[in-house]
Amino acid sequence: MMRAGPVTAPEGREGVSKVLAEMCYRGAGEYDSRGLSEALDGLGLQRGGGAAGEMASFGGALLADNLGKALELHADIIRRPKLPDAELEPVVALALQDLEALEDAPARKMFVHLKRAYYTSQHGRSALGKSETLERLSADALREDHARRYSPDGAILSVAGRFDWDWLKGAVGARFGDWTGSGPSAPEPEYRVASHYEHVEQETAQEHIGLTYASIPPRHPDRYAARLAIGVLSGGMGARLFTEIREKRGLVYSVSASPSEVRGHGTIMCYAGTTPERSQETLDVLVQELRRLGEGVEAEELERARVGLLSSLVMQGESTSARARAITSDYFYLGRVRSLREIREGVEGVTPEAIVDHLARHPAENFTVTSLGPRKLTVPA
Amino acid sequence: MMRAGPVTAPEGREGVSKVLAEMCYRGAGEYDSRGLSEALDGLGLQRGGGAAGEMASFGGALLADNLGKALELHADIIRRPKLPDAELEPVVALALQDLEALEDAPARKMFVHLKRAYYTSQHGRSALGKSETLERLSADALREDHARRYSPDGAILSVAGRFDWDWLKGAVGARFGDWTGSGPSAPEPEYRVASHYEHVEQETAQEHIGLTYASIPPRHPDRYAARLAIGVLSGGMGARLFTEIREKRGLVYSVSASPSEVRGHGTIMCYAGTTPERSQETLDVLVQELRRLGEGVEAEELERARVGLLSSLVMQGESTSARARAITSDYFYLGRVRSLREIREGVEGVTPEAIVDHLARHPAENFTVTSLGPRKLTVPA
């Protein structure tokens, strides 16, 4: 992972991050595009990663025996991509198609608008870029961007699964030890502090509603209290949003609230997809439930949210891919990696009072709301 | 898992399967709707399952210590749901919304049309049902359907993870041992044997193309040869469809081919999403690549497909949820469960000649094609 996502892209070139990450697979080191794909397939690598938000990441899941060869190939992909002129056109064509496909994915499109409406800094940028800037990209611009942003400065390498630590240190040292350079400076997140509403008129069958508001940054001591507060709202079948909005009233097929973070800032992000007729009531009940949370939670609600979080923590521990992602994310946002035990103890230590205290200091208010669909809504005062 | 998916639903009531599966969570045994949701959340259960195709399934992932209580709750959910009149309206409202949401999900909608175009038997039904039949559902109809289709006849229970076999047999016996009744008879799959094309005109940004054709049934001895043939076409970055359609020509953002099975019949199902301008070329190249496969595969291509399959097999073995799904599916389609070792040996035993032989007997032909988007296409002769 490197700090080469759209957030740190040059002005007017957001889409370069995704195009560059894709171009790195079009030949690197001694391999041409075809040869590289075949070499990766030969390792049984299930490719993961991509460029989004603050990060560009490379990697995937594969059998432990192939780790050494995978590190070798990734050193080529990241440090020595060929970035050939001839591959630029098909890669840009794909990026334009992905952007165009957003028109057929209204929920995803709504989130692009919501993020852009909330963040006034580069953090609101979409990884998809814009068609006019994508079309203007040259192979030279990609090479320049690669030299500037693909650097060891702030880069994180995470490995989970079966490996020997001393062997890994040696293998990484041999492939990346002589890598030098400084990376792009990370901008500070800036965001809307007053309520705000935007409607995107579109002839969709459903109305897609997004709502976000400021919560705590990743390194805040209330971290576990905030996570459990959201667990009371959303997660299980007995959680409040599911019960009030979906089960009792049949208003929406899906409704959720979850924490969303960038470095230095955190928000709560909510989504509901419903029919245009039920959309105003859905937004009203959603806002009401967010505010009602500050009035207190029952001990049983907290307990269920806790069991749900601990249960998914254990399951995450079983998946090497999920564990590798968690390691990267901890290191990026917190500057260190938490053990599963530390997280468990943090989750176990939260009391109902701690949640109420947290919500008194960080109430649900000053909502940024975006709706996409046939109907313009009114955000409850 | 029971044979209570839309395939075995009464005529004109396809949607009942999904509504009934949802209604089973609205109170069962001693629990009302709210109490049941809270009890499941209290176990940290991450609910899985649903009704689709031939099956209705219930279950989820949870910590091993809670397995006994989860079996107890599921005996209530499956055998003693309350199916209360008052919950029917919100549940039907949700089912109608899910059906309506299809209009905003063109790729998913295209597959509904493709399946309906290919299968002339009930196997072509969508789990979503139709609005007129959903609206006509009564609580009595649900109770009648529950009595008829939720039965131990053909039901499969699969558990993967940490448990004691003798303890499990006892626990299942106590909860399900006295369950009696016979289930619905499973219809034979019938499908189109000649080429067929359907276009669904819709003002989408992308053109969505689906193509399917008959392959071998699940119990066929060519099983591994067929799977590897598709692996040569689709799967890794070096696979033919990805290389020819995405990498070289930049025609589509996503393109894939994969096996799809019902009991007694199997097909290959392909998907490509592209711009209307590139859609005809995409379909042409897709058909060309499917036919070219019969001309032979290189040893290296086969080897890459093999490594990819074996690699994902190992990863599947690490996930208890994936393993439980594989056990159900093996038992349902094959009548027995394959060990990971048996599958590995099956995959390892396939030669390039076996693939060519298989494709000679089961060539890619007589395509059923569906396109959804602004442009009507011509299927190459």
Side-chain angles (χ1 to χ4, degrees):
Chain A
M1 191 288 296
M2 291 158 298
R3 294 189 313 217
V7 168
T8 57
E11 201 57 48
R13 277 196 199 160
E14 299 95 289
V16 73
S17 314
K18 219 163 162 280
V19 170
L20 178 55
E22 172 73 26
M23 280 289 281
C24 287
Y25 286 103
R26 303 289 177 125
E30 298 301 306
Y31 296 94
D32 66 5
S33 182
R34 179 91 192 235
L36 183 59
S37 293
E38 290 174 354
L40 290 166
D41 281 358
L43 302 179
L45 181 88
Q46 301 189 339
R47 182 174 151 188
E54 300 162 275
M55 309 181 187
S57 56
F58 292 84
L62 81 171
L63 300 184
D65 290 345
N66 294 336
L67 182 57
K69 182 71 185 162
L71 284 170
E72 185 186 323
L73 288 174
H74 280 83
D76 282 341
I77 292 167
I78 293 167
R79 300 181 61 186
R80 291 174 288 275
K82 291 177 185 282
L83 307 178
D85 288 33
E87 298 279 352
L88 184 64
E89 198 194 313
V91 172
V92 167
L94 289 176
L96 287 167
Q97 282 195 50
D98 200 26
L99 181 63
E100 188 73 3
L102 200 60
E103 299 303 313
D104 289 346
R108 205 171 143 223
K109 182 176 170 186
M110 187 280 294
F111 271 112
V112 166
H113 282 271
L114 180 64
K115 253 177 81 183
R116 225 178 252 154
Y118 179 74
Y119 283 110
T120 49
S121 58
Q122 285 130 278
H123 297 76
R125 288 171 169 183
S126 158
L128 298 169
K130 292 171 183 168
S131 56
E132 55 279 19
T133 50
L134 286 174
E135 277 158 3
R136 231 186 286 134
L137 285 176
S138 66
D140 281 342
L142 291 185
R143 283 187 280 263
E144 183 193 305
D145 194 54
H146 178 265
R148 198 178 70 84
R149 295 202 297 158
Y150 278 43
S151 98
D153 182 16
I156 297 166
L157 172 76
S158 68
V159 179
R162 180 165 67 77
F163 63 88
D164 176 84
W165 177 246
D166 288 321
W167 173 87
L168 182 67
K169 273 199 295 189
V172 172
R175 300 295 169 198
F176 293 94
D178 59 342
W179 194 16
T180 55
S182 63
S185 59
E188 286 298 308
E190 287 161 30
Y191 49 92
R192 227 174 260 282
V193 292
S195 302
H196 181 76
Y197 174 62
E198 283 184 19
H199 176 64
V200 183
E201 182 82 22
Q202 190 165 324
E203 281 312 311
T204 51
Q206 291 221 309
E207 184 91 12
H208 301 270
I209 304 170
L211 180 156
T212 193
Y213 59 98
S215 177
I216 52 169
R219 300 187 187 207
H220 196 283
D222 282 4
R223 186 174 181 102
Y224 298 106
R227 190 65 200 81
L228 281 168
I230 293 306
V232 168
L233 269 183
S234 181
M237 294 171 66
R240 290 188 185 180
L241 292 184
F242 201 83
T243 309
E244 293 299 320
I245 300 186
R246 187 184 191 275
E247 304 274 297
K248 274 198 206 156
R249 306 181 194 229
L251 283 173
V252 301
Y253 203 81
S254 84
V255 57
S256 63
S258 55
S260 168
E261 300 180 326
V262 299
R263 202 133 73 145
H265 186 64
T267 70
I268 306 299
M269 208 160 265
C270 307
Y271 169 76
T274 182
T275 58
E277 299 73 41
R278 294 166 200 246
S279 57
Q280 185 63 54
E281 188 182 349
T282 300
L283 178 58
D284 292 349
V285 182
L286 174 62
V287 166
Q288 181 187 311
E289 288 300 325
L290 288 170
R291 288 185 174 143
R292 187 164 74 87
L293 195 62
E295 296 166 15
V297 301
E298 291 168 35
E300 298 82 53
E301 287 184 299
L302 174 59
E303 199 42 40
R304 287 196 302 274
R306 197 195 308 275
V307 170
L309 269 185
L310 292 175
S311 182
S312 54
L313 185 67
V314 171
M315 285 168 215
Q316 184 209 296
E318 279 188 356
S319 155
T320 47
S321 305
R323 187 68 195 128
R325 280 193 299 273
I327 290 171
T328 309
S329 151
D330 265 13
Y331 207 89
F332 183 74
Y333 293 119
L334 307 175
R336 65 188 190 84
V337 175
R338 294 172 299 167
S339 66
L340 293 177
R341 182 183 176 153
E342 176 186 345
I343 301 174
R344 198 184 68 228
E345 288 173 357
V347 171
E348 281 170 352
V350 176
T351 60
E353 294 71 41
I355 292 185
V356 175
D357 281 359
H358 162 71
L359 290 168
R361 287 190 301 269
H362 302 276
E365 63 184 10
N366 298 324
F367 303 129
T368 293
V369 178
T370 302
S371 55
L372 183 148
R375 187 165 163 189
K376 192 166 178 176
L377 306 175
T378 307
V379 182
Chain B
M1 191 286 296
M2 290 157 301
R3 293 189 312 217
V7 167
T8 58
E11 201 56 49
R13 275 194 199 162
E14 300 96 287
V16 72
S17 313
K18 218 163 163 282
V19 170
L20 178 55
E22 172 73 27
M23 280 289 281
C24 287
Y25 286 104
R26 304 289 178 125
E30 298 301 306
Y31 296 94
D32 65 5
S33 182
R34 177 90 193 236
L36 184 57
S37 294
E38 290 174 354
L40 291 166
D41 281 358
L43 302 179
L45 180 88
Q46 301 187 340
R47 185 175 150 187
E54 298 162 279
M55 310 181 185
S57 56
F58 293 84
L62 82 172
L63 300 185
D65 290 345
N66 294 334
L67 181 58
K69 182 72 185 163
L71 285 171
E72 184 186 324
L73 288 174
H74 281 83
D76 282 340
I77 291 167
I78 292 166
R79 301 182 59 188
R80 290 174 288 276
K82 290 176 185 285
L83 308 178
D85 288 33
E87 298 279 351
L88 183 65
E89 198 195 313
V91 172
V92 168
L94 289 177
L96 287 166
Q97 281 194 50
D98 201 24
L99 181 62
E100 187 74 1
L102 200 59
E103 298 303 313
D104 290 346
R108 206 171 142 221
K109 183 176 169 186
M110 186 280 295
F111 271 112
V112 167
H113 283 269
L114 180 64
K115 253 178 80 184
R116 226 178 253 151
Y118 179 74
Y119 282 109
T120 50
S121 59
Q122 284 132 279
H123 296 77
R125 288 171 167 184
S126 158
L128 297 169
K130 291 172 183 170
S131 58
E132 55 280 18
T133 50
L134 286 173
E135 277 159 1
R136 233 187 284 133
L137 285 175
S138 66
D140 280 343
L142 291 186
R143 283 186 280 264
E144 184 195 306
D145 194 55
H146 179 264
R148 198 178 70 86
R149 294 201 298 157
Y150 279 43
S151 99
D153 182 16
I156 297 167
L157 172 76
S158 69
V159 179
R162 180 165 68 76
F163 64 87
D164 176 84
W165 177 246
D166 289 322
W167 173 87
L168 182 68
K169 273 199 295 189
V172 173
R175 301 296 169 198
F176 293 93
D178 60 342
W179 193 18
T180 55
S182 63
S185 60
E188 286 298 308
E190 287 161 30
Y191 49 93
R192 227 175 259 283
V193 291
S195 302
H196 181 75
Y197 173 63
E198 284 185 20
H199 176 65
V200 184
E201 182 81 24
Q202 191 165 323
E203 280 312 311
T204 50
Q206 292 222 308
E207 185 92 10
H208 302 271
I209 304 170
L211 180 155
T212 194
Y213 60 98
S215 178
I216 52 169
R219 300 185 189 208
H220 197 283
D222 282 4
R223 188 176 179 98
Y224 299 106
R227 189 66 199 81
L228 281 168
I230 292 307
V232 168
L233 268 183
S234 181
M237 294 170 67
R240 291 190 186 178
L241 292 184
F242 201 83
T243 309
E244 291 299 318
I245 301 186
R246 188 186 190 275
E247 305 273 298
K248 274 200 206 155
R249 305 180 193 230
L251 283 174
V252 302
Y253 202 79
S254 84
V255 57
S256 63
S258 54
S260 168
E261 300 179 327
V262 300
R263 203 136 69 150
H265 185 64
T267 70
I268 306 298
M269 207 162 264
C270 307
Y271 169 76
T274 181
T275 57
E277 299 74 40
R278 295 165 200 248
S279 55
Q280 185 63 54
E281 188 182 348
T282 300
L283 177 59
D284 293 347
V285 182
L286 174 63
V287 166
Q288 182 188 312
E289 288 300 325
L290 288 170
R291 289 183 175 146
R292 189 164 72 88
L293 195 60
E295 297 166 15
V297 301
E298 292 167 35
E300 299 82 52
E301 288 184 299
L302 174 59
E303 198 42 41
R304 287 195 303 273
R306 196 195 309 275
V307 170
L309 268 184
L310 292 175
S311 181
S312 55
L313 186 69
V314 171
M315 284 168 214
Q316 185 209 296
E318 280 190 354
S319 156
T320 48
S321 304
R323 187 69 194 127
R325 280 193 300 273
I327 289 171
T328 309
S329 150
D330 265 12
Y331 208 89
F332 182 73
Y333 294 119
L334 306 177
R336 65 187 190 84
V337 175
R338 294 171 298 168
S339 66
L340 294 177
R341 182 184 176 151
E342 177 186 345
I343 301 173
R344 199 185 65 227
E345 288 173 357
V347 171
E348 281 170 353
V350 176
T351 59
E353 294 71 41
I355 293 185
V356 174
D357 281 358
H358 162 70
L359 290 168
R361 287 189 301 270
H362 303 275
E365 62 184 10
N366 297 325
F367 304 128
T368 293
V369 178
T370 302
S371 55
L372 184 149
R375 185 164 165 191
K376 193 167 177 173
L377 306 176
T378 307
V379 182

